mmCIF file of all heavy atoms in Angstrom:
data_model
loop_
_atom_site.group_PDB
_atom_site.id
_atom_site.type_symbol
_atom_site.label_atom_id
_atom_site.label_comp_id
_atom_site.label_asym_id
_atom_site.label_seq_id
_atom_site.Cartn_x
_atom_site.Cartn_y
_atom_site.Cartn_z
ATOM 1 N N VAL A 115 -3.473 -15.996 -24.254
ATOM 2 C CA VAL A 115 -2.493 -14.971 -24.636
ATOM 3 C C VAL A 115 -3.120 -13.592 -24.486
ATOM 4 O O VAL A 115 -2.510 -12.664 -23.950
ATOM 5 C CB VAL A 115 -1.985 -15.204 -26.076
ATOM 6 C CG1 VAL A 115 -1.113 -14.050 -26.539
ATOM 7 C CG2 VAL A 115 -1.244 -16.521 -26.172
ATOM 8 N N LEU A 116 -4.341 -13.447 -24.955
ATOM 9 C CA LEU A 116 -5.055 -12.186 -24.835
ATOM 10 C C LEU A 116 -5.224 -11.786 -23.371
ATOM 11 O O LEU A 116 -4.994 -10.636 -23.001
ATOM 12 C CB LEU A 116 -6.412 -12.300 -25.526
ATOM 13 C CG LEU A 116 -7.220 -11.029 -25.684
ATOM 14 C CD1 LEU A 116 -6.447 -9.987 -26.466
ATOM 15 C CD2 LEU A 116 -8.535 -11.333 -26.373
ATOM 16 N N GLN A 117 -5.587 -12.723 -22.522
ATOM 17 C CA GLN A 117 -5.739 -12.443 -21.096
ATOM 18 C C GLN A 117 -4.415 -12.015 -20.470
ATOM 19 O O GLN A 117 -4.376 -11.101 -19.640
ATOM 20 C CB GLN A 117 -6.306 -13.653 -20.370
ATOM 21 C CG GLN A 117 -7.761 -13.901 -20.659
ATOM 22 C CD GLN A 117 -8.284 -15.169 -19.987
ATOM 23 O OE1 GLN A 117 -7.556 -15.859 -19.295
ATOM 24 N NE2 GLN A 117 -9.554 -15.452 -20.206
ATOM 25 N N LYS A 118 -3.340 -12.656 -20.874
ATOM 26 C CA LYS A 118 -2.011 -12.306 -20.345
ATOM 27 C C LYS A 118 -1.674 -10.849 -20.665
ATOM 28 O O LYS A 118 -1.270 -10.088 -19.791
ATOM 29 C CB LYS A 118 -0.957 -13.241 -20.946
ATOM 30 C CG LYS A 118 0.465 -12.856 -20.623
ATOM 31 C CD LYS A 118 1.446 -13.722 -21.393
ATOM 32 C CE LYS A 118 2.834 -13.171 -21.287
ATOM 33 N NZ LYS A 118 3.776 -13.884 -22.151
ATOM 34 N N TYR A 119 -1.876 -10.449 -21.922
ATOM 35 C CA TYR A 119 -1.534 -9.086 -22.319
ATOM 36 C C TYR A 119 -2.504 -8.055 -21.743
ATOM 37 O O TYR A 119 -2.112 -6.938 -21.428
ATOM 38 C CB TYR A 119 -1.413 -8.963 -23.833
ATOM 39 C CG TYR A 119 -0.144 -9.609 -24.336
ATOM 40 C CD1 TYR A 119 -0.180 -10.728 -25.154
ATOM 41 C CD2 TYR A 119 1.104 -9.115 -23.957
ATOM 42 C CE1 TYR A 119 0.994 -11.331 -25.594
ATOM 43 C CE2 TYR A 119 2.272 -9.710 -24.383
ATOM 44 C CZ TYR A 119 2.213 -10.812 -25.203
ATOM 45 O OH TYR A 119 3.368 -11.400 -25.623
ATOM 46 N N ASN A 120 -3.760 -8.423 -21.589
ATOM 47 C CA ASN A 120 -4.704 -7.519 -20.934
ATOM 48 C C ASN A 120 -4.320 -7.285 -19.481
ATOM 49 O O ASN A 120 -4.432 -6.170 -18.973
ATOM 50 C CB ASN A 120 -6.135 -8.058 -21.031
ATOM 51 C CG ASN A 120 -6.754 -7.805 -22.380
ATOM 52 O OD1 ASN A 120 -6.355 -6.887 -23.092
ATOM 53 N ND2 ASN A 120 -7.716 -8.625 -22.753
ATOM 54 N N LYS A 121 -3.834 -8.321 -18.819
ATOM 55 C CA LYS A 121 -3.389 -8.188 -17.425
ATOM 56 C C LYS A 121 -2.170 -7.259 -17.344
ATOM 57 O O LYS A 121 -2.105 -6.376 -16.491
ATOM 58 C CB LYS A 121 -3.053 -9.559 -16.838
ATOM 59 C CG LYS A 121 -2.638 -9.506 -15.396
ATOM 60 C CD LYS A 121 -2.322 -10.877 -14.847
ATOM 61 C CE LYS A 121 -1.866 -10.730 -13.408
ATOM 62 N NZ LYS A 121 -1.203 -11.914 -12.919
ATOM 63 N N ILE A 122 -1.235 -7.429 -18.250
ATOM 64 C CA ILE A 122 -0.050 -6.557 -18.281
ATOM 65 C C ILE A 122 -0.464 -5.113 -18.526
ATOM 66 O O ILE A 122 0.018 -4.189 -17.874
ATOM 67 C CB ILE A 122 0.951 -7.043 -19.364
ATOM 68 C CG1 ILE A 122 1.556 -8.376 -18.951
ATOM 69 C CG2 ILE A 122 2.032 -5.994 -19.608
ATOM 70 C CD1 ILE A 122 2.357 -9.050 -20.053
ATOM 71 N N ARG A 123 -1.395 -4.905 -19.476
ATOM 72 C CA ARG A 123 -1.868 -3.556 -19.769
ATOM 73 C C ARG A 123 -2.530 -2.930 -18.548
ATOM 74 O O ARG A 123 -2.284 -1.760 -18.227
ATOM 75 C CB ARG A 123 -2.849 -3.564 -20.940
ATOM 76 C CG ARG A 123 -3.322 -2.146 -21.303
ATOM 77 C CD ARG A 123 -4.448 -2.136 -22.281
ATOM 78 N NE ARG A 123 -5.616 -2.742 -21.663
ATOM 79 C CZ ARG A 123 -6.569 -3.368 -22.327
ATOM 80 N NH1 ARG A 123 -6.493 -3.482 -23.629
ATOM 81 N NH2 ARG A 123 -7.591 -3.888 -21.705
ATOM 82 N N GLU A 124 -3.353 -3.688 -17.847
ATOM 83 C CA GLU A 124 -4.034 -3.156 -16.667
ATOM 84 C C GLU A 124 -3.044 -2.795 -15.565
ATOM 85 O O GLU A 124 -3.196 -1.781 -14.886
ATOM 86 C CB GLU A 124 -5.090 -4.136 -16.155
ATOM 87 C CG GLU A 124 -6.300 -4.242 -17.059
ATOM 88 C CD GLU A 124 -6.936 -2.898 -17.348
ATOM 89 O OE1 GLU A 124 -7.131 -2.098 -16.410
ATOM 90 O OE2 GLU A 124 -7.235 -2.625 -18.526
ATOM 91 N N GLU A 125 -2.021 -3.622 -15.369
ATOM 92 C CA GLU A 125 -0.987 -3.326 -14.369
ATOM 93 C C GLU A 125 -0.238 -2.052 -14.736
ATOM 94 O O GLU A 125 0.014 -1.198 -13.879
ATOM 95 C CB GLU A 125 -0.018 -4.504 -14.242
ATOM 96 C CG GLU A 125 -0.625 -5.728 -13.587
ATOM 97 C CD GLU A 125 0.283 -6.948 -13.663
ATOM 98 O OE1 GLU A 125 1.425 -6.840 -14.169
ATOM 99 O OE2 GLU A 125 -0.164 -8.027 -13.223
ATOM 100 N N LEU A 126 0.120 -1.916 -16.000
ATOM 101 C CA LEU A 126 0.820 -0.715 -16.453
ATOM 102 C C LEU A 126 -0.070 0.510 -16.319
ATOM 103 O O LEU A 126 0.370 1.575 -15.889
ATOM 104 C CB LEU A 126 1.301 -0.882 -17.889
ATOM 105 C CG LEU A 126 2.070 0.297 -18.488
ATOM 106 C CD1 LEU A 126 3.315 0.619 -17.655
ATOM 107 C CD2 LEU A 126 2.457 -0.011 -19.932
ATOM 108 N N ARG A 127 -1.343 0.359 -16.674
ATOM 109 C CA ARG A 127 -2.283 1.474 -16.557
ATOM 110 C C ARG A 127 -2.377 1.947 -15.106
ATOM 111 O O ARG A 127 -2.302 3.140 -14.826
ATOM 112 C CB ARG A 127 -3.662 1.075 -17.065
ATOM 113 C CG ARG A 127 -4.643 2.242 -17.033
ATOM 114 C CD ARG A 127 -6.044 1.862 -17.426
ATOM 115 N NE ARG A 127 -6.069 1.292 -18.753
ATOM 116 C CZ ARG A 127 -7.075 0.576 -19.239
ATOM 117 N NH1 ARG A 127 -8.136 0.336 -18.507
ATOM 118 N NH2 ARG A 127 -7.033 0.102 -20.450
ATOM 119 N N ARG A 128 -2.513 1.029 -14.166
ATOM 120 C CA ARG A 128 -2.588 1.406 -12.746
ATOM 121 C C ARG A 128 -1.313 2.128 -12.303
ATOM 122 O O ARG A 128 -1.371 3.133 -11.602
ATOM 123 C CB ARG A 128 -2.818 0.167 -11.872
ATOM 124 C CG ARG A 128 -4.269 -0.260 -11.792
ATOM 125 C CD ARG A 128 -4.488 -1.285 -10.696
ATOM 126 N NE ARG A 128 -3.786 -2.543 -10.925
ATOM 127 C CZ ARG A 128 -4.250 -3.539 -11.674
ATOM 128 N NH1 ARG A 128 -5.410 -3.436 -12.274
ATOM 129 N NH2 ARG A 128 -3.556 -4.642 -11.823
ATOM 130 N N GLU A 129 -0.166 1.617 -12.744
ATOM 131 C CA GLU A 129 1.105 2.232 -12.371
ATOM 132 C C GLU A 129 1.226 3.646 -12.939
ATOM 133 O O GLU A 129 1.618 4.586 -12.237
ATOM 134 C CB GLU A 129 2.265 1.361 -12.856
ATOM 135 C CG GLU A 129 3.615 1.827 -12.385
ATOM 136 C CD GLU A 129 4.730 0.880 -12.805
ATOM 137 O OE1 GLU A 129 4.474 -0.325 -12.985
ATOM 138 O OE2 GLU A 129 5.859 1.366 -12.953
ATOM 139 N N VAL A 130 0.878 3.817 -14.205
ATOM 140 C CA VAL A 130 0.965 5.132 -14.837
ATOM 141 C C VAL A 130 -0.007 6.095 -14.178
ATOM 142 O O VAL A 130 0.338 7.246 -13.886
ATOM 143 C CB VAL A 130 0.726 5.030 -16.366
ATOM 144 C CG1 VAL A 130 0.516 6.400 -16.988
ATOM 145 C CG2 VAL A 130 1.896 4.317 -17.024
ATOM 146 N N TYR A 131 -1.240 5.665 -13.920
ATOM 147 C CA TYR A 131 -2.229 6.523 -13.272
ATOM 148 C C TYR A 131 -1.752 6.941 -11.882
ATOM 149 O O TYR A 131 -1.946 8.083 -11.468
ATOM 150 C CB TYR A 131 -3.581 5.813 -13.140
ATOM 151 C CG TYR A 131 -4.357 5.660 -14.428
ATOM 152 C CD1 TYR A 131 -3.794 5.918 -15.681
ATOM 153 C CD2 TYR A 131 -5.672 5.225 -14.399
ATOM 154 C CE1 TYR A 131 -4.521 5.761 -16.840
ATOM 155 C CE2 TYR A 131 -6.405 5.064 -15.565
ATOM 156 C CZ TYR A 131 -5.822 5.324 -16.784
ATOM 157 O OH TYR A 131 -6.541 5.170 -17.939
ATOM 158 N N GLU A 132 -1.122 6.017 -11.172
ATOM 159 C CA GLU A 132 -0.611 6.341 -9.831
ATOM 160 C C GLU A 132 0.508 7.374 -9.918
ATOM 161 O O GLU A 132 0.554 8.330 -9.139
ATOM 162 C CB GLU A 132 -0.097 5.072 -9.146
ATOM 163 C CG GLU A 132 0.365 5.286 -7.725
ATOM 164 C CD GLU A 132 0.834 3.989 -7.082
ATOM 165 O OE1 GLU A 132 0.170 2.952 -7.269
ATOM 166 O OE2 GLU A 132 1.874 4.024 -6.402
ATOM 167 N N ILE A 133 1.395 7.215 -10.869
ATOM 168 C CA ILE A 133 2.499 8.160 -11.048
ATOM 169 C C ILE A 133 1.970 9.542 -11.427
ATOM 170 O O ILE A 133 2.411 10.553 -10.898
ATOM 171 C CB ILE A 133 3.488 7.635 -12.114
ATOM 172 C CG1 ILE A 133 4.252 6.426 -11.572
ATOM 173 C CG2 ILE A 133 4.461 8.736 -12.548
ATOM 174 C CD1 ILE A 133 5.047 5.675 -12.625
ATOM 175 N N LEU A 134 0.993 9.589 -12.338
ATOM 176 C CA LEU A 134 0.457 10.868 -12.800
ATOM 177 C C LEU A 134 -0.381 11.568 -11.731
ATOM 178 O O LEU A 134 -0.418 12.800 -11.684
ATOM 179 C CB LEU A 134 -0.386 10.669 -14.065
ATOM 180 C CG LEU A 134 0.385 10.320 -15.329
ATOM 181 C CD1 LEU A 134 -0.570 9.953 -16.448
ATOM 182 C CD2 LEU A 134 1.292 11.458 -15.745
ATOM 183 N N GLY A 135 -1.041 10.806 -10.894
ATOM 184 C CA GLY A 135 -1.903 11.427 -9.892
ATOM 185 C C GLY A 135 -3.004 12.231 -10.563
ATOM 186 O O GLY A 135 -3.319 12.043 -11.736
ATOM 187 N N ASP A 136 -3.582 13.159 -9.804
ATOM 188 C CA ASP A 136 -4.701 13.943 -10.331
ATOM 189 C C ASP A 136 -4.267 15.141 -11.159
ATOM 190 O O ASP A 136 -5.071 15.694 -11.909
ATOM 191 C CB ASP A 136 -5.593 14.423 -9.181
ATOM 192 C CG ASP A 136 -6.323 13.267 -8.532
ATOM 193 O OD1 ASP A 136 -6.589 12.264 -9.232
ATOM 194 O OD2 ASP A 136 -6.619 13.361 -7.331
ATOM 195 N N ASP A 137 -2.997 15.556 -11.020
ATOM 196 C CA ASP A 137 -2.585 16.761 -11.740
ATOM 197 C C ASP A 137 -1.222 16.637 -12.405
ATOM 198 O O ASP A 137 -0.615 17.623 -12.764
ATOM 199 C CB ASP A 137 -2.605 17.968 -10.798
ATOM 200 C CG ASP A 137 -1.662 17.785 -9.612
ATOM 201 O OD1 ASP A 137 -1.016 16.719 -9.490
ATOM 202 O OD2 ASP A 137 -1.569 18.714 -8.805
ATOM 203 N N GLY A 138 -0.758 15.417 -12.605
ATOM 204 C CA GLY A 138 0.547 15.221 -13.228
ATOM 205 C C GLY A 138 0.458 15.103 -14.734
ATOM 206 O O GLY A 138 -0.593 14.782 -15.297
ATOM 207 N N ILE A 139 1.561 15.388 -15.395
ATOM 208 C CA ILE A 139 1.665 15.203 -16.842
ATOM 209 C C ILE A 139 2.968 14.478 -17.151
ATOM 210 O O ILE A 139 3.909 14.488 -16.359
ATOM 211 C CB ILE A 139 1.620 16.535 -17.630
ATOM 212 C CG1 ILE A 139 2.787 17.431 -17.234
ATOM 213 C CG2 ILE A 139 0.296 17.236 -17.466
ATOM 214 C CD1 ILE A 139 3.161 18.410 -18.302
ATOM 215 N N LEU A 140 2.998 13.855 -18.287
ATOM 216 C CA LEU A 140 4.176 13.172 -18.785
ATOM 217 C C LEU A 140 4.455 13.722 -20.174
ATOM 218 O O LEU A 140 3.539 13.840 -20.995
ATOM 219 C CB LEU A 140 3.915 11.665 -18.855
ATOM 220 C CG LEU A 140 4.964 10.784 -19.531
ATOM 221 C CD1 LEU A 140 6.267 10.803 -18.738
ATOM 222 C CD2 LEU A 140 4.441 9.355 -19.646
ATOM 223 N N LEU A 141 5.690 14.068 -20.434
ATOM 224 C CA LEU A 141 6.107 14.510 -21.774
ATOM 225 C C LEU A 141 6.830 13.346 -22.430
ATOM 226 O O LEU A 141 7.713 12.737 -21.837
ATOM 227 C CB LEU A 141 7.034 15.719 -21.682
ATOM 228 C CG LEU A 141 6.470 16.953 -20.996
ATOM 229 C CD1 LEU A 141 7.513 18.048 -20.918
ATOM 230 C CD2 LEU A 141 5.227 17.447 -21.718
ATOM 231 N N PHE A 142 6.429 13.053 -23.660
ATOM 232 C CA PHE A 142 7.010 11.911 -24.350
ATOM 233 C C PHE A 142 7.128 12.241 -25.832
ATOM 234 O O PHE A 142 6.226 12.872 -26.398
ATOM 235 C CB PHE A 142 6.105 10.678 -24.165
ATOM 236 C CG PHE A 142 6.823 9.373 -24.325
ATOM 237 C CD1 PHE A 142 7.597 8.864 -23.296
ATOM 238 C CD2 PHE A 142 6.722 8.662 -25.509
ATOM 239 C CE1 PHE A 142 8.255 7.654 -23.443
ATOM 240 C CE2 PHE A 142 7.385 7.456 -25.664
ATOM 241 C CZ PHE A 142 8.144 6.948 -24.627
ATOM 242 N N PRO A 143 8.208 11.834 -26.484
ATOM 243 C CA PRO A 143 8.332 12.113 -27.919
ATOM 244 C C PRO A 143 7.164 11.521 -28.699
ATOM 245 O O PRO A 143 6.596 10.501 -28.313
ATOM 246 C CB PRO A 143 9.639 11.417 -28.318
ATOM 247 C CG PRO A 143 10.366 11.177 -27.051
ATOM 248 C CD PRO A 143 9.338 11.070 -25.963
ATOM 249 N N THR A 144 6.823 12.152 -29.787
ATOM 250 C CA THR A 144 5.772 11.631 -30.652
ATOM 251 C C THR A 144 6.294 10.479 -31.489
ATOM 252 O O THR A 144 5.597 9.501 -31.730
ATOM 253 C CB THR A 144 5.267 12.742 -31.583
ATOM 254 O OG1 THR A 144 4.861 13.844 -30.784
ATOM 255 C CG2 THR A 144 4.112 12.277 -32.421
ATOM 256 N N HIS A 145 7.526 10.590 -31.913
ATOM 257 C CA HIS A 145 8.127 9.595 -32.803
ATOM 258 C C HIS A 145 9.636 9.664 -32.610
ATOM 259 O O HIS A 145 10.177 10.725 -32.331
ATOM 260 C CB HIS A 145 7.749 9.930 -34.255
ATOM 261 C CG HIS A 145 7.841 8.782 -35.179
ATOM 262 N ND1 HIS A 145 8.998 8.451 -35.833
ATOM 263 C CD2 HIS A 145 6.919 7.859 -35.568
ATOM 264 C CE1 HIS A 145 8.787 7.390 -36.597
ATOM 265 N NE2 HIS A 145 7.536 7.013 -36.452
ATOM 266 N N PRO A 146 10.351 8.556 -32.756
ATOM 267 C CA PRO A 146 11.801 8.589 -32.551
ATOM 268 C C PRO A 146 12.578 9.277 -33.666
ATOM 269 O O PRO A 146 13.720 9.664 -33.484
ATOM 270 C CB PRO A 146 12.187 7.115 -32.457
ATOM 271 C CG PRO A 146 11.136 6.409 -33.235
ATOM 272 C CD PRO A 146 9.873 7.202 -33.022
ATOM 273 N N ASP A 147 11.953 9.433 -34.821
ATOM 274 C CA ASP A 147 12.618 10.063 -35.963
ATOM 275 C C ASP A 147 11.882 11.340 -36.339
ATOM 276 O O ASP A 147 10.663 11.416 -36.248
ATOM 277 C CB ASP A 147 12.605 9.127 -37.179
ATOM 278 C CG ASP A 147 13.296 7.805 -36.895
ATOM 279 O OD1 ASP A 147 14.375 7.825 -36.280
ATOM 280 O OD2 ASP A 147 12.752 6.760 -37.291
ATOM 281 N N SER A 148 12.628 12.326 -36.800
ATOM 282 C CA SER A 148 11.980 13.561 -37.219
ATOM 283 C C SER A 148 11.493 13.483 -38.655
ATOM 284 O O SER A 148 10.651 14.253 -39.069
ATOM 285 C CB SER A 148 12.921 14.754 -37.040
ATOM 286 O OG SER A 148 14.108 14.531 -37.755
ATOM 287 N N CYS A 149 12.024 12.570 -39.427
ATOM 288 C CA CYS A 149 11.585 12.441 -40.813
ATOM 289 C C CYS A 149 11.465 10.960 -41.147
ATOM 290 O O CYS A 149 12.450 10.224 -41.101
ATOM 291 C CB CYS A 149 12.581 13.094 -41.758
ATOM 292 S SG CYS A 149 12.073 13.002 -43.479
ATOM 293 N N VAL A 150 10.273 10.549 -41.465
ATOM 294 C CA VAL A 150 10.027 9.154 -41.801
ATOM 295 C C VAL A 150 9.663 9.064 -43.266
ATOM 296 O O VAL A 150 8.766 9.763 -43.734
ATOM 297 C CB VAL A 150 8.876 8.585 -40.939
ATOM 298 C CG1 VAL A 150 8.637 7.135 -41.273
ATOM 299 C CG2 VAL A 150 9.185 8.755 -39.475
ATOM 300 N N LYS A 151 10.394 8.230 -43.975
ATOM 301 C CA LYS A 151 10.102 8.062 -45.400
ATOM 302 C C LYS A 151 8.759 7.356 -45.569
ATOM 303 O O LYS A 151 8.328 6.583 -44.718
ATOM 304 C CB LYS A 151 11.206 7.251 -46.061
ATOM 305 C CG LYS A 151 12.499 8.014 -46.116
ATOM 306 C CD LYS A 151 13.527 7.280 -46.916
ATOM 307 C CE LYS A 151 14.634 8.212 -47.212
ATOM 308 N NZ LYS A 151 15.892 8.020 -46.837
ATOM 309 N N LEU A 152 8.104 7.628 -46.664
ATOM 310 C CA LEU A 152 6.819 7.037 -46.975
ATOM 311 C C LEU A 152 6.891 5.516 -46.845
ATOM 312 O O LEU A 152 7.815 4.898 -47.355
ATOM 313 C CB LEU A 152 6.394 7.424 -48.395
ATOM 314 C CG LEU A 152 5.040 6.932 -48.854
ATOM 315 C CD1 LEU A 152 3.933 7.544 -47.986
ATOM 316 C CD2 LEU A 152 4.815 7.274 -50.304
#
């Protein structure tokens, strides 16, 4: 199971790195909610 998820992570990492290139950025929300209860 660990190997399966590590493989998925590595594939995603390669894809994201390829999309970003050497000078790209990605903007992503920090959290889906603006106020989270304790």
